[in-house]
Amino acid sequence: MIRKIIQIDNSKCDGCGQCAEACHEGAIGLSDGKAILLRDDYCDGLGDCLPLCPKGAISFTMREANAYDYQAVLQHLANAKAQQHACLGSMACNIQQPVYQESAVCNCPSSAVKSLTTLTNDAHYDQCIPSCLAQWPIQIKLTPANAPYFAQSHVLIAADCCAYAYGNFHQDYMKNNITVIGCPKLDEEDYSQKLAEILSYNDIKALTIARMEVPCCSGLQSAVQNALQLSNYNIPLKVVVISIDGKILNC
């Protein structure tokens, strides 16, 4: 349907968050330091957020959008309230990693082979092996399906053994991606429904599956493929298979 709905000018937004606080429906979130409209059906089109924006980044537009869904808003607000009272380890948040030059990853003197104890105590450690983790939490069963960091993102869905088997996993696969992990054997659950919710709530641009060569890891790939069918989304999908000795088997 064509209806009035807010639009956010990212070039003007400074990420102050006043619009998100003003929105009674929780339709606005923050991602990468910018305000975003989480879902069309959360926005009632009344514009309580407009006068609170100090940069004038929010305005109304008339466009094709899902109808305002009051019941969906109530559920969304209830989920957000429950999350506020959850333990710190499951609270959704973005992680702003420092920017490193590519040459700083492994060319410094302290990247020479040494014991783990010596390496972790090295003052240059943070520059040698930078983390590429962009958000928290990372476990599939803990991450909120409507977390704002999923919006318009490239998502890596990885078996949790991958980062241990493949030494450069952060730089080669996690960098510039939102990463969620799981083990279909140890968790003994089907991730299909949760992944389908993540796909349905968010405008995800691309998916990468990183899995081990072991048979049980095929369950992760099956879950992603089932989620794509359940959500009825056609999203570019890449599958990376890693051997137990750390080699990429399908490149």
Side-chain angles (χ1 to χ4, degrees):
M1 62 181 297
I2 303 294
R3 72 179 184 94
K4 185 168 67 172
I5 195 167
I6 66 160
Q7 65 177 0
I8 302 171
D9 186 342
N10 283 344
S11 65
K12 296 180 179 179
C13 176
D14 64 358
C16 71
Q18 293 187 51
C19 57
E21 294 179 5
C23 180
H24 301 300
E25 289 73 30
I28 302 175
L30 295 176
S31 178
D32 295 329
K34 299 287 186 178
I36 60 169
L37 177 62
L38 297 177
R39 277 177 44 174
D40 287 358
D41 57 352
Y42 291 166
C43 178
D44 60 9
L46 297 179
D48 290 341
C49 53
L50 268 69
L52 270 296
C53 180
K55 300 296 184 180
I58 301 178
S59 60
F60 276 128
T61 186
M62 295 293 294
R63 65 169 174 84
E64 182 72 30
N66 293 330
Y68 173 65
D69 188 337
Y70 180 65
Q71 293 302 319
V73 168
L74 290 180
Q75 184 61 54
H76 170 57
L77 294 176
N79 292 342
K81 184 176 181 180
Q83 186 178 321
Q84 289 176 356
H85 295 285
C87 68
L88 180 61
S90 62
M91 291 181 63
C93 64
N94 289 343
I95 299 174
Q96 298 295 326
Q97 297 289 3
V99 177
Y100 296 88
Q101 295 180 354
E102 293 294 335
S103 59
V105 175
C106 58
N107 289 341
C108 62
S110 62
S111 63
V113 176
K114 55 182 73 178
S115 71
L116 181 60
T117 301
T118 304
L119 179 61
T120 54
N121 289 334
D122 196 309
H124 204 39
Y125 173 70
D126 287 339
Q127 294 182 5
C128 293
I129 311 175
S131 172
C132 294
L133 184 63
Q135 94 294 336
W136 187 265
I138 59 174
Q139 289 285 344
I140 295 172
K141 60 183 179 180
L142 293 181
T143 190
N146 59 351
Y149 47 71
F150 281 122
Q152 299 184 352
S153 66
H154 290 232
V155 176
L156 171 68
I157 303 171
D160 49 17
C161 295
C162 290
Y164 294 94
Y166 187 76
N168 210 31
F169 194 71
H170 277 244
Q171 283 291 321
D172 287 356
Y173 294 105
M174 291 174 59
K175 187 176 182 180
N176 300 322
N177 289 325
I178 296 298
T179 302
V180 292
I181 68 171
C183 176
K185 183 173 184 178
L186 295 183
D187 286 346
E188 296 183 347
E189 64 180 84
D190 184 359
Y191 298 127
S192 301
Q193 188 60 48
K194 180 62 174 290
L195 292 172
E197 292 177 8
I198 292 173
L199 297 178
S200 298
Y201 285 146
N202 305 282
D203 181 19
I204 291 174
K205 299 302 183 183
L207 294 171
T208 299
I209 302 171
R211 48 157 295 195
M212 299 299 295
E213 63 175 326
V214 294
C216 58
C217 232
S218 63
L220 185 64
Q221 185 172 341
S222 297
V224 175
Q225 291 169 337
N226 290 339
L228 286 169
Q229 292 180 350
L230 288 171
S231 61
N232 198 29
Y233 276 79
N234 184 18
I235 300 173
L237 174 63
K238 177 183 178 182
V239 180
V240 177
V241 181
I242 301 173
S243 69
I244 58 175
D245 60 348
K247 296 182 176 64
I248 305 300
L249 298 180
N250 59 336
C251 289

